[in-house]
Amino acid sequence: MLVKLSSAALKQTHGYEYAVRFALGGLVTVAAGLIGSHFGVAIGGLFLALPAIFCASATLIESHERRAKEKAGLSGRRRGQQAAALDAAGAGLGSIGLAAFAAAFYVVISASIIGAFVSAILAWALVSVSAWWLRRKLRTTSDHAGAEHGVRSARG
């Protein structure tokens, strides 16, 4: 499955789906605030690190992909699951980048606010791109190794 940017996807999304995304995102943020007020900001911050929109977007991505395949007369269940899984993998890689952002910001903030933001953004970009590249490289390597041993990959 290739990852690509398409403005056509914006036209496929209904208004209520955006409302669901924003509502769930808001609920996750409020829940993190409540947790933070009860257990302290350090614990609340951990819950804010959850990509608030992910909960809604994974289900919406799955339903869009499933509907698109069913419209073509095919079963779209597997395709929807794969698309949601790809989104989850991206969210995981983004979370690793977010942790690098937080660590760099924490280390540099006492010296310079602007320096902290610049170093944190650079750390996020470097770690996120490196994690994506490493995942792609390991997946490609494992696919080739499986093919050599007669094992068929899930991507077919």
Side-chain angles (χ1 to χ4, degrees):
M1 180 181 302
L2 292 175
V3 178
K4 61 183 178 178
L5 182 64
S6 171
S7 63
L10 294 174
K11 296 174 188 167
Q12 295 173 352
T13 305
H14 302 288
Y16 74 90
E17 292 173 323
Y18 287 115
V20 167
R21 288 180 183 183
F22 287 114
L24 285 178
L27 288 174
V28 169
T29 303
V30 168
L34 293 172
I35 290 168
S37 68
H38 188 265
F39 295 104
V41 293
I43 301 298
L46 292 175
F47 284 90
L48 275 176
L50 169 73
I53 200 91
F54 173 72
C55 303
S57 69
T59 58
L60 294 174
I61 288 169
E62 187 274 335
S63 68
H64 280 193
E65 290 297 323
R66 185 175 32 81
R67 278 188 300 207
K69 284 293 184 181
E70 288 171 353
K71 204 180 272 188
L74 304 169
S75 172
R77 185 171 180 254
R78 177 87 172 130
R79 175 67 175 198
Q81 290 172 342
Q82 288 175 336
L86 184 61
D87 188 52
L93 295 176
S95 295
I96 295 168
L98 180 61
F101 180 98
F105 192 88
Y106 179 79
V107 168
V108 180
I109 189 66
S110 61
S112 166
I113 294 174
I114 293 174
F117 277 108
V118 169
S119 64
I121 289 169
L122 291 174
W124 166 79
L126 178 67
V127 169
S128 294
V129 170
S130 297
W132 172 83
W133 179 85
L134 181 62
R135 180 183 181 277
R136 184 178 173 104
K137 188 73 167 165
L138 290 174
R139 186 172 177 127
T140 302
T141 302
S142 68
D143 285 349
H144 288 301
E148 289 174 2
H149 297 326
V151 177
R152 186 179 165 155
S153 76
R155 292 190 287 178

